[in-house]
Amino acid sequence: MVDTTNPVSEIPEGSAWGYLASVDVGRIAVTSGDSPEIYPVNFCLDGESIVFRSASGSKLETLALNSRVAFEADSWADEGGWSVLVRGTATLVEDADELARVAKAPLRTWVPTVKKNWVRVVPSQITARRFAFGPEPRA
């Protein structure tokens, strides 16, 4: 039975990392001028940061101009779902030792394209919620 009195609950930040670790696709939101853009990315966690690979192009050009980003991942099934929103700063991984370490991460590209760039999102704020699905209650 779905609890219609409280179908949305907060997930503590410490637990949010476990939720993020359970999926491998999320969305990175960037701002280009006055226009927000959202890109799907496959990702993995590296400590308490998110890393993904990217080809050169508009996503990286936008991040060079404005490193403030939002990242979201979620999952759902018939009975409910969850969503984790990470606000933070994205930077290109350039240190040789760090590149060697993240290159060993269990992250493979979605599509057969060359993606030599690694991007790290360091959170400044994490919010997460769990949702219990069910019929809309009567007013």
Side-chain angles (χ1 to χ4, degrees), residues 11 15-29 38-45 50-51 70-76 81-87 121 126-131:
I11 297 171
S15 298
W17 290 104
Y19 283 86
L20 286 173
S22 73
V23 295
D24 55 10
V25 176
R27 288 159 295 287
I28 186 87
I38 300 174
Y39 300 96
V41 294
N42 56 325
F43 73 97
C44 66
L45 300 182
I50 296 159
V51 291
F71 177 86
E72 191 231 9
D74 52 35
S75 184
W76 61 91
W82 58 265
S83 173
V84 176
L85 176 61
V86 176
R87 293 175 180 92
V121 177
I126 299 174
T127 56
R129 299 182 296 172
R130 187 176 305 107
F131 308 100

Side-chain angles (χ1 to χ4, degrees), residues 12-74:
E13 181 178 330
S15 298
W17 290 104
Y19 283 86
L20 286 173
S22 73
V23 295
D24 55 10
V25 176
R27 288 159 295 287
I28 186 87
V30 300
T31 303
S32 176
D34 292 337
S35 179
E37 297 180 26
I38 300 174
Y39 300 96
V41 294
N42 56 325
F43 73 97
C44 66
L45 300 182
D46 183 36
E48 290 193 350
S49 67
I50 296 159
V51 291
F52 63 91
R53 293 170 64 187
S54 180
S56 297
S58 59
K59 188 182 336 165
L60 288 182
E61 292 167 9
T62 300
L63 289 173
L65 297 172
N66 183 359
S67 63
R68 300 293 301 158
V69 298
F71 177 86
E72 191 231 9
D74 52 35

